[in-house]
Amino acid sequence: MEILNTQSNRRSFIKSVAVSGGGFILGFSWLANAKGATGAESGEQIEINAYLRIGSDGTITIQAPNPEFGQGVKTSLPMIVAEELDVDWESVVVEQALFNMDLYTRQFAGGSQSVRAGWNGLRRAGATARHMLKQAAADQWGVSFDEVATGDGRLLHAKSDRSLGYGEVAAKAAKVAVPENPILKNPEDFKIVSSTKKNVDGKDIVTGKPLFGVDVDHEGMLIASIVKPPAFGMRLKSFDAASAREMPGVVDVIQIKTFEDDYQRRIFDDNAFPDLVVVVGETTWQTFAAKKVLKVEWEAFDDTEITLGTWGGGSRAAVIPGGLESTSDHEEKLAKLDEEAGGVARKDGEPEAAFDAASQVLDRTYSAPYLAHNAMEPQNFFADVRGDKIVVEGPLQAPQFIEQTVSERLGVPIENIEIRMTRMGGGFGRRAYCHYVVEAALISQRMKRPIKLVYTREDDMTFGIYRPAYRMRYRAAIDENKKVTGFHIRAAGIPESPLHANRFPAGAYENYLAESSSIQSNITTGAFRAPRSNFNCAAEQCFLDELAETVGKDPIALRLELLQRAKNTPVGDRNDYDAERYAGVLELVREKSDWGKAKPGVGRGVAAYFCHNSYVAHVVDVVMNQGRPVVERVCSAVDCGIVVNRGAAINMVEGAVVDGIGCALFGEMTIKEGVPQKNNFHQYRMIRSSEAPKRIDVHFVKNEIDPTGLGEPPFPPVFAALANALYQATGKRLYRQPFVDQLET
Amino acid sequence: MAEFVVKVNGRNRSLEVDPATPLLWVLRDHLKLVGTKYGCGMGQCGTCTVHLGDTAIRSCQFPISAVGDQPVTTIEGLSEEGTHPLQKAWIEHDVAQCGYCQAGQIMSAAALLKRNPNPDDSQIEGAMEGNLCRCGTYLRIKEAIRNANA
């Protein structure tokens, strides 16, 4: 059995409190996991605490600490507590916790870290409570602690054939000293973890209950809607609200500034449009209608200096470039970087010499456009600001960051801000950038009324915070024996490079060079499901496919050979992947997909990747039907350690596959003279029912490694597996995303 | 502004609104039936799907003045207790991820099953093509429809 210390590091306390009615509450707060054990994706805090309540009637209430946006943590995190508490899952009631930095930390949805960061803390929460209940029962029966067992929410004493419900001793358990070393279960004894538990909100979702931010309704609430510049690089000059004020239901038209000019922007404060005109009205329809008659003048701005916060609390000066940018200019600038050496991110051996001596060089360039997140629920937030008290409620991924921004902007102390997290209608990274919370709070403060800010789809799609635009050039030096002697990556992006320099195949090539460049822009970008990886993987895994063909090897065999080399004789000491686990998913997908037994007319492609601490490989089978790709089957192999909620995990992988195929085929936002060229789903093509794969098979590597991320890792390798399959089906290599126009001609 | 009496989920509801107001916003803002969702406002995503009589319509594109005396059914009125075969199948197949689009998906599927109790796969895809799911739960949606029907 595993013993974990509850008294680890700072903030080491667990408190138990008896409650009226005889139950008890266990509150706890500690560092749940060694910080950055295997490198958290973005350096965010990996702390968690939680909270559970046992009623005298035996009801177990478990708080789900993290925001839910479809990744399933409202179900999976409480499952971990329930496992160690040893209760019947059917007796558990799950509640969405309030945002509370004193009780919980890392109440953040992002980086695929909720389960990973929560795992130890949540297990300890359950185990601590179980220990205290056992002690209380032992005291009541006058027997030794070791003679008390638990099962399905009951305390059992086999010798005397006695048993007690948890609720019957909960009040006494609350008075038991909190154990320092609660005993955790062996993974092979898990009954809840690794099983399938259905979404705790499933019934409410299918019956239309008000679960989402946009459903929030409070007494006296008005609706607010923004009017923002039509183009990046523009700002508000003046507005004439006379005709809008005449519209039915309009209460007021106001101007807000989301930031003061000298404001030091925090992480996730990215925002191209801090100066807004706001229409406030009685109903959503009236408010949207009034926006259309508002007369606003905009003006282009010059280069603007701002101060940006950085991870770790520092800051740096930055310039937002002036000008009205276009995708065509971006593409030209990025293409020029193909020929320019970038900043060296990693260099092993003598890559230049390897290329000079090569008898053949495979040289390919890949690109991908901006992507809009397009969560189905447009941005919205409720705010009620009364004097120095703020209540905000709605969908957000990053409450702890925006709380500070709201506090500073409105001049209200953090302890006077209550953030209620609703279920989110998707997020995909977009709702980590919660400018709309500040906007809602400012509007309520000005109006002295509770308001709900609601973006139109057009506001949502044209606000920015896009996935950056990327370009990567890959080169391989090949000698006369078809041996790869050098590997070179030149990565660029607007505004950031997609490069992960220490990922595979770094470590497998003696002579390796990875360079990075970036181009600044006034078009805002942000995290999009598996940031950087979502393109780095596409380019790398397409290149490896073509490289395998060039040197006459099977694409899986080539990867396994490289991984074997990276495992046995790794080059460099900064490789950030486990070559054995990486090879494991490739071997599993090879077996499960019957690789090598392709059917005639079916194009098969493979890709694998490691990110967010997990390993995923996909094999895609595609056929072309009248110029239209039909994905017949996707076979996926995943190593994310222990799978907490099996059915939900399969659903997550299926969703990532569908999302990846959609983005690879259709996803694209273009800009002309600063204006986003797509503002709704008639222009921005999204994958639809008939375009989804006909079948997706998901297989997990079985091990007892603590669970790691799953929201993001299955997404990046879809792009390349699809492109590689399309090559087999059509004979055409695809270098430029999205692919659809290159197929349907 | 004009007065309307609309029959929603079996109840007559009177209200006074601009005749151009889309049924979606009447349901959400006036009648507080928020199970019907706003997604795009132009009939492209299907999150706002309700039934007018037995037909699935995009309520964001349907002015209140055009409803007349035809009964409107929303997700809240599809069944008394959430026990419509599709609702049960959705739970059984654990379809939802974020869940935002699912009410619209279920309403589109329910209209399909009313006019065609035994749809084949291409008929299912045809009926569901107008409903976007950003989380990518399409396979489970189709599986739930097949099994609700079985």
Side-chain angles (χ1 to χ4, degrees), chain A residues 198-199 203 206 214-215 217 284 373 423 456-457 651 654-655 659 680 687-690 694, chain B residues 28-29 32 37-40 42 44 81 87 91-92 94 97-98 125 129 134-135 138 140 142:
Chain A
K198 295 196 166 80
N199 188 335
K203 178 95 187 253
V206 301
V214 77
D215 303 336
D217 187 24
T284 317
H373 296 78
R423 189 175 188 87
T456 62
R457 171 57 58 192
N651 197 349
E654 291 170 353
D659 188 9
N680 207 320
I687 190 166
R688 290 182 182 271
S689 185
S690 72
K694 302 303 167 204
Chain B
R28 289 187 58 85
D29 283 356
K32 308 294 181 190
K37 294 293 188 266
Y38 166 62
C40 70
M42 61 186 306
Q44 294 286 319
E81 308 278 339
Q87 288 169 317
I91 292 171
E92 182 55 33
D94 212 14
Q97 285 186 31
C98 87
E125 283 183 348
E129 200 69 350
R134 178 68 183 82
C135 299
Y138 294 125
R140 285 175 188 243
K142 287 182 250 188

